[in-house]
Coordinates of all heavy atoms in Angstrom, one line a residue:
M883 N 4.5 -14.5 -19.2 CA 3.3 -14.6 -18.5 C 2.1 -14.8 -19.5 O 1.3 -15.6 -19.3 CB 3.1 -13.4 -17.6 CG 1.9 -13.5 -16.6 SD 2.1 -12.5 -15.1 CE 1.7 -10.9 -15.7
G884 N 2.0 -13.9 -20.5 CA 1.0 -14.1 -21.5 C -0.4 -13.5 -21.1 O -1.2 -13.6 -22.0
Q885 N -0.6 -13.0 -20.0 CA -1.9 -12.5 -19.6 C -1.7 -11.1 -19.1 O -0.8 -10.8 -18.5 CB -2.6 -13.3 -18.6 CG -2.9 -14.7 -18.9 CD -3.7 -15.4 -17.9 OE1 -4.3 -14.8 -17.0 NE2 -3.7 -16.7 -18.0
S886 N -2.6 -10.2 -19.7 CA -2.5 -8.8 -19.2 C -3.5 -8.6 -18.0 O -4.3 -9.4 -17.7 CB -2.8 -7.8 -20.3 OG -4.1 -8.2 -20.8
A887 N -3.4 -7.4 -17.3 CA -4.2 -7.1 -16.2 C -5.7 -7.0 -16.7 O -5.9 -6.7 -17.9 CB -3.8 -5.7 -15.6
P888 N -6.6 -7.4 -15.8 CA -8.0 -7.3 -16.2 C -8.5 -5.9 -16.4 O -8.0 -5.0 -15.9 CB -8.8 -7.9 -15.0 CG -7.8 -7.9 -13.9 CD -6.4 -7.8 -14.5
T889 N -9.3 -5.7 -17.5 CA -9.9 -4.5 -17.8 C -11.4 -4.5 -17.6 O -11.9 -5.7 -17.5 CB -9.5 -4.0 -19.2 OG1 -10.0 -5.0 -20.1 CG2 -8.1 -3.8 -19.4
R890 N -12.0 -3.4 -17.5 CA -13.5 -3.4 -17.3 C -14.2 -4.3 -18.4 O -13.9 -4.1 -19.5 CB -14.0 -2.0 -17.4 CG -13.9 -1.3 -16.0 CD -14.5 0.1 -16.2 NE -13.8 1.0 -15.3 CZ -14.3 1.3 -14.1 NH1 -15.4 0.6 -13.7 NH2 -13.6 2.0 -13.4
G891 N -15.1 -5.1 -17.9 CA -15.9 -5.9 -18.9 C -15.1 -7.2 -19.4 O -15.7 -8.1 -19.8
A892 N -13.8 -7.3 -19.1 CA -13.1 -8.5 -19.6 C -13.1 -9.5 -18.4 O -13.0 -9.0 -17.2 CB -11.6 -8.1 -19.9
P893 N -13.1 -10.8 -18.7 CA -13.0 -11.7 -17.6 C -11.6 -11.7 -16.9 O -10.6 -11.5 -17.6 CB -13.2 -13.1 -18.3 CG -12.8 -12.8 -19.7 CD -13.1 -11.4 -20.0
A894 N -11.6 -11.8 -15.6 CA -10.3 -11.8 -14.8 C -9.7 -13.1 -15.1 O -10.2 -14.2 -15.2 CB -10.6 -11.6 -13.4
P895 N -8.3 -13.0 -15.2 CA -7.5 -14.3 -15.3 C -7.6 -15.1 -14.0 O -7.9 -14.6 -12.9 CB -6.1 -13.8 -15.6 CG -6.1 -12.4 -14.9 CD -7.5 -11.9 -15.1
S896 N -7.5 -16.5 -14.2 CA -7.5 -17.3 -13.0 C -6.3 -16.9 -12.2 O -5.1 -17.0 -12.6 CB -7.4 -18.8 -13.5 OG -7.1 -19.5 -12.4
A897 N -6.6 -16.6 -10.9 CA -5.5 -16.2 -10.0 C -4.4 -17.3 -9.9 O -3.2 -17.0 -9.8 CB -6.0 -15.9 -8.7
Q898 N -4.9 -18.5 -9.9 CA -3.8 -19.7 -9.7 C -3.1 -19.9 -11.0 O -2.0 -20.6 -10.9 CB -4.7 -20.9 -9.3 CG -5.3 -20.8 -7.9 CD -6.2 -21.9 -7.6 OE1 -6.6 -22.6 -8.4 NE2 -6.7 -21.8 -6.3
A899 N -3.6 -19.4 -12.1 CA -2.8 -19.6 -13.4 C -1.7 -18.6 -13.6 O -0.9 -18.7 -14.5 CB -3.8 -19.6 -14.5
L900 N -1.8 -17.5 -12.8 CA -0.7 -16.5 -12.9 C 0.7 -17.0 -12.3 O 0.6 -17.5 -11.2 CB -1.2 -15.2 -12.3 CG -2.4 -14.5 -12.8 CD1 -2.8 -13.3 -11.9 CD2 -2.2 -14.1 -14.2
H901 N 1.7 -16.6 -13.0 CA 3.0 -17.0 -12.5 C 3.6 -15.9 -11.6 O 4.4 -16.2 -10.7 CB 4.0 -17.3 -13.6 CG 3.6 -18.4 -14.5 ND1 3.6 -19.7 -14.2 CD2 3.0 -18.4 -15.7 CE1 3.1 -20.5 -15.1 NE2 2.7 -19.7 -16.1
A902 N 3.3 -14.6 -12.0 CA 3.9 -13.5 -11.2 C 3.0 -12.3 -11.5 O 2.2 -12.3 -12.4 CB 5.3 -13.2 -11.5
V903 N 3.1 -11.3 -10.7 CA 2.5 -10.0 -10.9 C 3.6 -8.9 -10.8 O 4.5 -9.0 -10.0 CB 1.5 -9.7 -9.8 CG1 1.0 -8.2 -9.9 CG2 0.3 -10.7 -9.9
V904 N 3.5 -8.0 -11.8 CA 4.4 -6.8 -11.9 C 3.6 -5.6 -11.6 O 2.7 -5.3 -12.3 CB 5.1 -6.7 -13.2 CG1 6.0 -5.4 -13.3 CG2 5.9 -7.9 -13.5
L905 N 3.9 -5.0 -10.5 CA 3.2 -3.7 -10.1 C 4.1 -2.6 -10.4 O 5.1 -2.3 -9.9 CB 3.0 -3.7 -8.5 CG 2.1 -2.6 -8.0 CD1 0.7 -2.6 -8.6 CD2 2.0 -2.8 -6.5
T906 N 3.6 -1.7 -11.5 CA 4.5 -0.7 -11.9 C 4.4 0.6 -11.0 O 5.4 1.3 -10.9 CB 4.0 -0.3 -13.4 OG1 2.6 0.1 -13.3 CG2 4.2 -1.4 -14.3
H907 N 3.2 0.8 -10.4 CA 3.2 1.8 -9.4 C 1.9 1.6 -8.6 O 1.2 0.6 -8.8 CB 3.0 3.2 -10.2 CG 1.9 3.3 -11.1 ND1 1.9 2.8 -12.4 CD2 0.7 3.9 -11.0 CE1 0.8 3.1 -13.0 NE2 0.0 3.7 -12.2
A908 N 1.7 2.3 -7.5 CA 0.8 2.0 -6.4 C -0.5 2.7 -6.5 O -1.3 2.6 -5.6 CB 1.4 2.3 -5.1
H909 N -0.9 3.3 -7.7 CA -2.3 3.8 -7.8 C -3.3 2.6 -7.4 O -3.0 1.5 -7.8 CB -2.6 4.3 -9.1 CG -1.9 5.6 -9.4 ND1 -1.8 6.2 -10.6 CD2 -1.2 6.4 -8.6 CE1 -1.2 7.3 -10.6 NE2 -0.8 7.5 -9.3
L910 N -4.4 3.0 -6.8 CA -5.5 1.9 -6.5 C -5.9 1.1 -7.7 O -6.2 0.0 -7.6 CB -6.5 2.5 -5.7 CG -7.5 1.5 -5.1 CD1 -6.8 0.6 -4.1 CD2 -8.7 2.3 -4.4
D911 N -6.0 1.8 -8.9 CA -6.5 1.1 -10.0 C -5.4 0.0 -10.5 O -5.7 -0.8 -11.4 CB -6.8 2.1 -11.2 CG -5.7 2.9 -11.6 OD1 -5.0 3.3 -10.8 OD2 -5.6 3.1 -12.9
H912 N -4.3 0.1 -10.0 CA -3.2 -1.0 -10.3 C -3.1 -2.0 -9.2 O -3.0 -3.1 -9.5 CB -1.9 -0.3 -10.6 CG -2.0 0.5 -11.8 ND1 -1.4 0.1 -13.0 CD2 -2.4 1.8 -12.1 CE1 -1.7 1.0 -14.0 NE2 -2.3 2.0 -13.4
C913 N -3.0 -1.5 -8.0 CA -2.7 -2.4 -6.8 C -4.1 -3.0 -6.2 O -4.0 -3.9 -5.4 CB -1.9 -1.9 -5.7 SG -2.5 -0.5 -4.8
G914 N -5.2 -2.4 -6.5 CA -6.5 -2.7 -5.8 C -7.0 -4.1 -6.0 O -7.8 -4.5 -5.2
Y915 N -6.5 -4.7 -7.1 CA -7.0 -6.1 -7.3 C -6.1 -7.1 -6.6 O -6.5 -8.3 -6.5 CB -6.9 -6.3 -8.8 CG -7.8 -7.5 -9.3 CD1 -9.2 -7.3 -9.4 CD2 -7.3 -8.6 -9.8 CE1 -10.0 -8.4 -9.7 CE2 -8.1 -9.7 -10.2 CZ -9.5 -9.5 -10.2 OH -10.3 -10.6 -10.6
L916 N -5.0 -6.7 -6.1 CA -4.0 -7.8 -5.4 C -4.8 -8.5 -4.2 O -4.6 -9.7 -4.3 CB -2.9 -7.0 -4.8 CG -1.9 -6.5 -6.0 CD1 -0.8 -5.6 -5.3 CD2 -1.3 -7.6 -6.8
P917 N -5.5 -7.9 -3.4 CA -6.2 -8.7 -2.3 C -7.1 -9.7 -2.9 O -7.2 -10.9 -2.5 CB -6.9 -7.7 -1.5 CG -6.2 -6.4 -1.7 CD -5.8 -6.5 -3.2
R918 N -7.8 -9.4 -4.0 CA -8.7 -10.4 -4.7 C -8.0 -11.5 -5.3 O -8.4 -12.7 -5.2 CB -9.6 -9.6 -5.7 CG -10.7 -10.4 -6.2 CD -12.0 -9.6 -6.2 NE -13.1 -10.3 -6.8 CZ -13.9 -11.0 -6.1 NH1 -13.9 -11.0 -4.8 NH2 -14.9 -11.7 -6.8
L919 N -6.8 -11.2 -5.9 CA -5.9 -12.2 -6.4 C -5.5 -13.2 -5.5 O -5.6 -14.4 -5.6 CB -4.8 -11.6 -7.1 CG -4.9 -11.1 -8.6 CD1 -3.6 -10.5 -9.1 CD2 -5.4 -12.2 -9.5
V920 N -5.1 -12.7 -4.3 CA -4.6 -13.5 -3.2 C -5.8 -14.3 -2.6 O -5.6 -15.6 -2.3 CB -4.0 -12.7 -2.1 CG1 -3.7 -13.5 -0.8 CG2 -2.7 -12.0 -2.6
H921 N -6.9 -13.6 -2.4 CA -8.1 -14.4 -2.0 C -8.5 -15.5 -2.9 O -8.9 -16.6 -2.5 CB -9.3 -13.4 -1.9 CG -10.6 -14.0 -1.5 ND1 -10.8 -14.4 -0.1 CD2 -11.7 -14.5 -2.2 CE1 -12.0 -14.9 0.0 NE2 -12.5 -15.0 -1.3
H922 N -8.2 -15.4 -4.2 CA -8.6 -16.5 -5.2 C -7.4 -17.4 -5.4 O -7.4 -18.1 -6.4 CB -9.1 -15.8 -6.4 CG -10.4 -15.3 -6.3 ND1 -11.6 -16.2 -6.3 CD2 -10.9 -14.1 -6.1 CE1 -12.7 -15.4 -6.1 NE2 -12.3 -14.2 -6.0
G923 N -6.4 -17.3 -4.6 CA -5.3 -18.5 -4.7 C -4.0 -17.9 -5.3 O -3.1 -18.9 -5.4
F924 N -3.9 -16.7 -5.6 CA -2.5 -16.3 -6.2 C -1.4 -16.4 -5.1 O -1.7 -15.9 -4.0 CB -2.6 -14.9 -6.8 CG -1.2 -14.4 -7.2 CD1 -0.6 -15.0 -8.3 CD2 -0.5 -13.5 -6.5 CE1 0.7 -14.5 -8.8 CE2 0.7 -13.0 -6.9 CZ 1.3 -13.6 -8.1
R925 N -0.4 -17.1 -5.3 CA 0.7 -17.3 -4.3 C 2.1 -17.0 -4.9 O 3.1 -17.3 -4.3 CB 0.7 -18.7 -3.7 CG -0.5 -19.0 -2.9 CD -0.7 -18.1 -1.6 NE -1.8 -18.5 -0.9 CZ -3.1 -18.0 -1.1 NH1 -3.3 -17.0 -2.0 NH2 -4.1 -18.3 -0.3
G926 N 2.0 -16.4 -6.2 CA 3.3 -16.1 -6.9 C 4.0 -14.9 -6.4 O 3.5 -14.2 -5.6
P927 N 5.1 -14.6 -7.0 CA 5.8 -13.4 -6.5 C 5.2 -12.1 -7.1 O 4.6 -12.1 -8.2 CB 7.2 -13.6 -7.2 CG 7.0 -14.5 -8.3 CD 5.8 -15.4 -8.0
L928 N 5.4 -11.1 -6.4 CA 5.0 -9.7 -6.8 C 6.2 -8.9 -7.0 O 7.1 -8.8 -6.1 CB 4.1 -9.0 -5.8 CG 3.8 -7.6 -5.9 CD1 2.9 -7.4 -7.1 CD2 3.2 -7.0 -4.7
F929 N 6.4 -8.4 -8.2 CA 7.7 -7.6 -8.5 C 7.2 -6.1 -8.6 O 6.3 -5.7 -9.2 CB 8.2 -8.0 -9.9 CG 8.8 -9.4 -9.9 CD1 8.0 -10.4 -10.5 CD2 10.0 -9.7 -9.3 CE1 8.5 -11.8 -10.5 CE2 10.4 -11.0 -9.3 CZ 9.6 -12.0 -9.9
A930 N 8.0 -5.3 -7.7 CA 7.8 -3.9 -7.6 C 9.1 -3.3 -7.0 O 9.8 -4.0 -6.4 CB 6.6 -3.6 -6.8
T931 N 9.2 -2.0 -7.3 CA 10.2 -1.3 -6.5 C 9.9 -1.3 -5.0 O 8.7 -1.5 -4.6 CB 10.5 0.1 -7.0 OG1 9.3 0.9 -6.6 CG2 10.8 0.2 -8.5
A932 N 10.9 -1.1 -4.2 CA 10.6 -1.1 -2.7 C 9.6 0.0 -2.4 O 8.8 -0.2 -1.6 CB 12.0 -0.9 -2.0
D933 N 9.9 1.2 -3.0 CA 9.0 2.3 -2.8 C 7.6 2.0 -3.2 O 6.5 2.3 -2.6 CB 9.4 3.6 -3.4 CG 10.7 4.1 -2.8 OD1 11.0 3.8 -1.6 OD2 11.5 4.9 -3.4
T934 N 7.3 1.4 -4.4 CA 6.0 1.1 -4.8 C 5.3 0.0 -4.0 O 4.2 0.2 -3.6 CB 6.1 0.5 -6.3 OG1 6.5 1.5 -7.2 CG2 4.8 0.0 -6.7
A935 N 6.1 -0.9 -3.5 CA 5.6 -1.9 -2.5 C 5.1 -1.3 -1.2 O 4.0 -1.5 -0.7 CB 6.6 -3.0 -2.2
R936 N 6.0 -0.4 -0.7 CA 5.7 0.3 0.5 C 4.4 1.2 0.4 O 3.5 1.1 1.2 CB 6.8 1.2 1.0 CG 7.0 1.4 2.5 CD 8.2 2.0 2.9 NE 9.2 2.6 1.8 CZ 10.3 2.0 1.5 NH1 10.7 0.8 1.9 NH2 11.0 2.6 0.5
L937 N 4.3 2.0 -0.8 CA 3.2 2.9 -1.0 C 2.0 2.0 -1.3 O 0.8 2.3 -0.8 CB 3.4 3.7 -2.1 CG 2.5 4.8 -2.4 CD1 2.2 5.7 -1.2 CD2 3.0 5.7 -3.6
A938 N 2.0 0.8 -1.9 CA 0.9 0.0 -2.2 C 0.2 -0.5 -0.9 O -0.9 -0.5 -0.8 CB 1.3 -1.1 -3.2
G939 N 1.2 -0.8 0.1 CA 0.6 -1.3 1.4 C -0.2 -0.2 2.0 O -1.3 -0.5 2.6
I940 N 0.2 1.0 1.9 CA -0.5 2.2 2.5 C -1.9 2.3 1.7 O -2.9 2.5 2.3 CB 0.4 3.5 2.4 CG1 1.5 3.4 3.4 CG2 -0.5 4.7 2.8 CD1 2.6 4.5 3.2
V941 N -1.8 2.3 0.5 CA -3.0 2.5 -0.4 C -4.0 1.5 0.0 O -5.2 1.7 0.1 CB -2.6 2.5 -1.9 CG1 -3.9 2.4 -2.8 CG2 -1.8 3.8 -2.2
L942 N -3.6 0.2 0.0 CA -4.4 -0.9 0.2 C -5.1 -0.9 1.7 O -6.3 -1.2 1.8 CB -3.8 -2.3 0.0 CG -3.4 -2.6 -1.5 CD1 -2.5 -3.8 -1.6 CD2 -4.7 -2.7 -2.3
R943 N -4.3 -0.5 2.6 CA -4.8 -0.5 4.0 C -5.8 0.6 4.0 O -6.9 0.6 4.7 CB -3.8 -0.3 5.0 CG -3.0 -1.7 5.3 CD -2.1 -1.4 6.5 NE -1.0 -0.5 6.3 CZ 0.1 -0.8 5.6 NH1 0.4 -2.1 5.2 NH2 1.1 0.1 5.4
D944 N -5.5 1.8 3.4 CA -6.5 3.0 3.3 C -7.8 2.6 2.7 O -8.9 2.8 3.2 CB -5.8 4.1 2.7 CG -6.7 5.4 2.7 OD1 -7.1 5.8 3.9 OD2 -7.0 6.0 1.6
S945 N -7.7 1.8 1.5 CA -8.8 1.4 0.8 C -9.6 0.4 1.6 O -10.8 0.5 1.7 CB -8.4 0.7 -0.5 OG -9.5 0.1 -1.2
A946 N -9.0 -0.5 2.3 CA -9.7 -1.4 3.2 C -10.5 -0.7 4.3 O -11.6 -1.0 4.6 CB -8.7 -2.4 3.8
R947 N -9.8 0.3 4.9 CA -10.5 1.0 5.9 C -11.7 1.9 5.4 O -12.8 1.8 6.0 CB -9.6 2.0 6.6 CG -10.0 2.5 7.9 CD -8.9 3.2 8.7 NE -8.6 4.5 8.1 CZ -9.3 5.6 8.4 NH1 -10.3 5.5 9.1 NH2 -9.0 6.7 7.8
L948 N -11.6 2.3 4.1 CA -12.8 3.1 3.6 C -13.9 2.1 3.3 O -15.1 2.4 3.5 CB -12.3 3.7 2.3 CG -11.4 5.0 2.6 CD1 -10.9 5.4 1.2 CD2 -12.1 6.1 3.3
Q949 N -13.5 0.9 2.9 CA -14.5 -0.2 2.6 C -15.3 -0.5 3.9 O -16.5 -0.6 4.0 CB -13.9 -1.4 2.1 CG -13.5 -1.4 0.6 CD -13.0 -2.6 0.1 OE1 -13.5 -3.7 0.3 NE2 -11.7 -2.5 -0.6
E950 N -14.5 -0.6 5.0 CA -15.2 -0.9 6.3 C -16.1 0.1 6.7 O -17.2 -0.1 7.3 CB -14.0 -1.1 7.4 CG -13.3 -2.4 7.2 CD -12.3 -2.5 8.4 OE1 -11.7 -1.6 8.8 OE2 -12.2 -3.7 8.9
E951 N -15.6 1.4 6.5 CA -16.5 2.6 6.9 C -17.8 2.6 6.1 O -18.9 2.8 6.6 CB -15.8 3.9 6.7 CG -14.7 4.0 7.8 CD -13.9 5.3 7.5 OE1 -14.2 6.1 6.7 OE2 -12.8 5.4 8.2
E952 N -17.7 2.2 4.7 CA -18.8 2.2 3.9 C -19.7 1.1 4.3 O -21.0 1.3 4.2 CB -18.4 2.2 2.4 CG -19.6 2.3 1.5 CD -19.1 2.3 0.0 OE1 -18.2 3.1 -0.3 OE2 -19.7 1.6 -0.8
A953 N -19.2 0.0 4.5 CA -20.0 -1.2 5.0 C -20.7 -0.9 6.2 O -21.9 -1.3 6.4 CB -19.1 -2.4 5.2
A954 N -20.0 -0.3 7.3 CA -20.7 0.1 8.4 C -21.9 1.0 8.2 O -23.0 0.9 8.8 CB -19.7 0.8 9.4
H955 N -21.6 2.0 7.3 CA -22.7 2.9 7.0 C -23.9 2.2 6.3 O -25.1 2.4 6.6 CB -22.2 4.0 6.0 CG -23.1 5.1 5.7 ND1 -24.0 5.1 4.6 CD2 -23.5 6.3 6.3 CE1 -24.7 6.1 4.6 NE2 -24.5 7.0 5.6
A956 N -23.6 1.3 5.4 CA -24.5 0.5 4.7 C -25.4 -0.3 5.6 O -26.6 -0.4 5.5 CB -23.9 -0.4 3.6
N957 N -24.7 -1.0 6.6 CA -25.4 -1.8 7.5 C -26.3 -0.9 8.4 O -27.4 -1.2 8.8 CB -24.5 -2.6 8.4 CG -23.9 -3.8 7.7 OD1 -24.5 -4.3 6.7 ND2 -22.7 -4.1 8.0
E958 N -25.7 0.2 8.9 CA -26.5 1.1 9.7 C -27.7 1.7 9.1 O -28.7 1.8 9.7 CB -25.6 2.3 10.1 CG -26.1 3.2 11.2 CD -25.1 4.4 11.4 OE1 -23.9 4.1 11.4 OE2 -25.5 5.5 11.6
H959 N -27.6 1.9 7.8 CA -28.8 2.5 7.1 C -29.6 1.5 6.2 O -30.4 1.8 5.5 CB -28.3 3.7 6.1 CG -27.8 4.8 7.0 ND1 -28.7 5.7 7.6 CD2 -26.5 5.1 7.4 CE1 -27.8 6.5 8.3 NE2 -26.6 6.2 8.1
G960 N -29.2 0.2 6.3 CA -29.9 -0.9 5.7 C -29.8 -1.0 4.2 O -30.7 -1.5 3.5
W961 N -28.8 -0.5 3.6 CA -28.7 -0.6 2.1 C -27.6 -1.7 1.7 O -27.3 -1.8 0.5 CB -28.5 0.7 1.5 CG -27.4 1.6 1.9 CD1 -27.5 2.5 2.8 CD2 -26.1 1.7 1.4 NE1 -26.3 3.2 3.0 CE2 -25.4 2.6 2.1 CE3 -25.3 0.9 0.4 CZ2 -24.1 2.9 1.9 CZ3 -24.0 1.2 0.1 CH2 -23.4 2.2 0.9
S962 N -27.1 -2.4 2.6 CA -26.0 -3.5 2.2 C -26.9 -4.7 1.8 O -27.8 -5.1 2.5 CB -25.2 -3.7 3.5 OG -24.3 -4.8 3.1
K963 N -26.4 -5.4 0.8 CA -27.0 -6.7 0.5 C -26.1 -7.8 1.1 O -26.5 -9.0 0.8 CB -27.1 -6.8 -1.1 CG -25.8 -6.8 -1.8 CD -26.1 -6.8 -3.3 CE -24.8 -6.8 -4.1 NZ -24.9 -6.8 -5.5
H964 N -25.1 -7.5 1.8 CA -24.2 -8.6 2.3 C -24.4 -8.7 3.8 O -24.3 -7.6 4.4 CB -22.7 -8.2 1.9 CG -22.4 -8.1 0.6 ND1 -22.4 -9.3 -0.3 CD2 -22.2 -7.1 -0.2 CE1 -22.1 -8.8 -1.5 NE2 -22.0 -7.5 -1.6
R965 N -24.5 -9.9 4.3 CA -24.6 -10.0 5.7 C -23.8 -11.3 6.1 O -24.2 -12.4 5.7 CB -26.1 -10.3 6.2 CG -27.0 -9.1 5.8 CD -27.7 -8.6 7.1 NE -28.6 -7.6 6.7 CZ -28.3 -6.3 6.6 NH1 -27.1 -6.0 6.8 NH2 -29.1 -5.4 6.1
P966 N -22.7 -11.2 6.8 CA -22.0 -10.0 7.1 C -21.3 -9.4 5.8 O -21.2 -10.1 4.8 CB -20.9 -10.5 8.1 CG -20.6 -11.9 7.7 CD -22.0 -12.4 7.2
P967 N -20.9 -8.1 5.9 CA -20.3 -7.6 4.7 C -19.0 -8.3 4.3 O -18.2 -8.8 5.1 CB -19.9 -6.2 5.1 CG -19.9 -6.2 6.6 CD -20.9 -7.3 7.0
A968 N -18.9 -8.5 2.9 CA -17.6 -9.2 2.3 C -16.6 -8.0 2.1 O -16.8 -7.2 1.3 CB -18.1 -9.8 1.1
L969 N -15.6 -8.0 2.9 CA -14.6 -7.0 2.8 C -13.2 -7.4 2.7 O -12.8 -8.5 3.1 CB -14.8 -6.2 4.1 CG -15.9 -5.4 4.4 CD1 -15.9 -4.8 5.8 CD2 -16.1 -4.2 3.4
C970 N -12.3 -6.6 2.1 CA -10.9 -6.7 2.3 C -10.6 -5.8 3.5 O -10.4 -4.6 3.4 CB -10.3 -6.4 1.1 SG -8.4 -6.4 1.3
T971 N -10.5 -6.4 4.7 CA -10.2 -5.5 5.9 C -8.7 -5.3 6.0 O -7.9 -6.0 5.2 CB -10.6 -6.3 7.1 OG1 -9.8 -7.5 7.2 CG2 -12.1 -6.6 7.1
P972 N -8.3 -4.3 6.7 CA -6.8 -4.1 6.9 C -6.1 -5.3 7.2 O -5.0 -5.6 6.8 CB -6.7 -3.0 7.9 CG -8.0 -2.2 7.8 CD -9.1 -3.3 7.4
A973 N -6.7 -6.1 8.1 CA -6.1 -7.4 8.6 C -5.9 -8.4 7.5 O -5.1 -9.2 7.5 CB -6.9 -7.9 9.7
R974 N -6.8 -8.3 6.4 CA -6.7 -9.3 5.3 C -5.8 -8.7 4.2 O -5.7 -9.3 3.1 CB -8.1 -9.5 4.7 CG -9.0 -10.4 5.6 CD -10.2 -10.7 4.8 NE -11.3 -11.2 5.6 CZ -12.5 -11.2 5.3 NH1 -12.8 -10.8 4.1 NH2 -13.4 -11.6 6.1
T975 N -5.4 -7.4 4.3 CA -4.6 -6.8 3.2 C -3.3 -7.5 3.1 O -2.6 -7.6 4.2 CB -4.5 -5.3 3.5 OG1 -5.8 -4.8 3.6 CG2 -3.7 -4.7 2.4
P976 N -2.9 -8.0 2.0 CA -1.5 -8.6 1.8 C -0.4 -7.6 2.2 O -0.5 -6.4 1.9 CB -1.4 -8.9 0.4 CG -2.7 -8.8 -0.2 CD -3.6 -7.9 0.7
S977 N 0.6 -8.1 2.9 CA 1.7 -7.2 3.3 C 2.8 -7.5 2.4 O 3.0 -8.5 1.8 CB 2.0 -7.5 4.7 OG 2.5 -8.9 4.8
A978 N 3.7 -6.4 2.2 CA 4.8 -6.6 1.3 C 5.9 -7.3 2.1 O 6.0 -7.1 3.3 CB 5.4 -5.2 0.9
R979 N 6.5 -8.1 1.4 CA 7.7 -8.8 2.0 C 9.0 -8.2 1.8 O 9.2 -7.5 0.8 CB 7.8 -10.3 1.5 CG 6.7 -11.1 2.2 CD 6.9 -12.5 1.8 NE 5.8 -12.8 0.7 CZ 5.9 -13.8 -0.2 NH1 6.8 -14.7 -0.1 NH2 4.9 -13.9 -1.1
Ligands
LIG1226 ZN1 -2.0 4.7 -12.3

C-alpha cells in the first residue's frame, strides 16, 4: 500500500488512491475515519477480523448518533456554523459486508 494512516497535522491520503484498508481494532481513533474515506471515494476492500468489523459498526453508529445530538444542540443554541449540519449519520455509516 505504501501509505500509513493519517496522523494529526499530516495531510490525509487521497481516498481514491488507497488500494485497501486494514482495521486492526475498532477504537474510534482507528475506525472513525472510514466514513470520510468512503465519502471521498474509497471503494476498496476493508480487512478486519469479523469481531472487529462487527464492533466497528457499533462504534461508528454510536459516533454518528452523538454527532447528530451535538448538531441538534448546536442548531438549537445557535453555535453551529453549518446549515444544514454536515454529518455522518447512522444511515450514512458504512456497513460491514
Ligand atoms: Zn486503539
Side-chain angles (χ1 to χ4, degrees):
M883 190 155 76
Q885 296 186 16
S886 60
T889 57
R890 279 182 206 269
S896 166
Q898 294 168 352
L900 295 175
H901 299 286
V903 170
V904 176
L905 185 61
T906 58
H907 58 282
H909 288 167
L910 189 58
D911 62 320
H912 292 260
C913 69
Y915 201 72
L916 291 173
R918 191 134 174 96
L919 278 180
V920 171
H921 178 77
H922 286 284
F924 175 71
R925 297 295 182 267
L928 168 69
F929 296 101
T931 65
D933 288 340
T934 293
R936 208 169 13 255
L937 188 55
I940 294 168
V941 168
L942 288 171
R943 282 189 296 277
D944 184 56
S945 173
R947 200 167 70 79
L948 291 173
Q949 285 182 47
E950 285 183 324
E951 289 174 8
E952 186 172 315
H955 185 269
N957 285 332
E958 185 180 323
H959 296 281
W961 53 270
S962 175
K963 63 181 179 181
H964 302 285
R965 304 237 182 274
L969 293 173
C970 175
T971 64
R974 289 189 197 162
T975 302
S977 58
R979 284 184 260 163

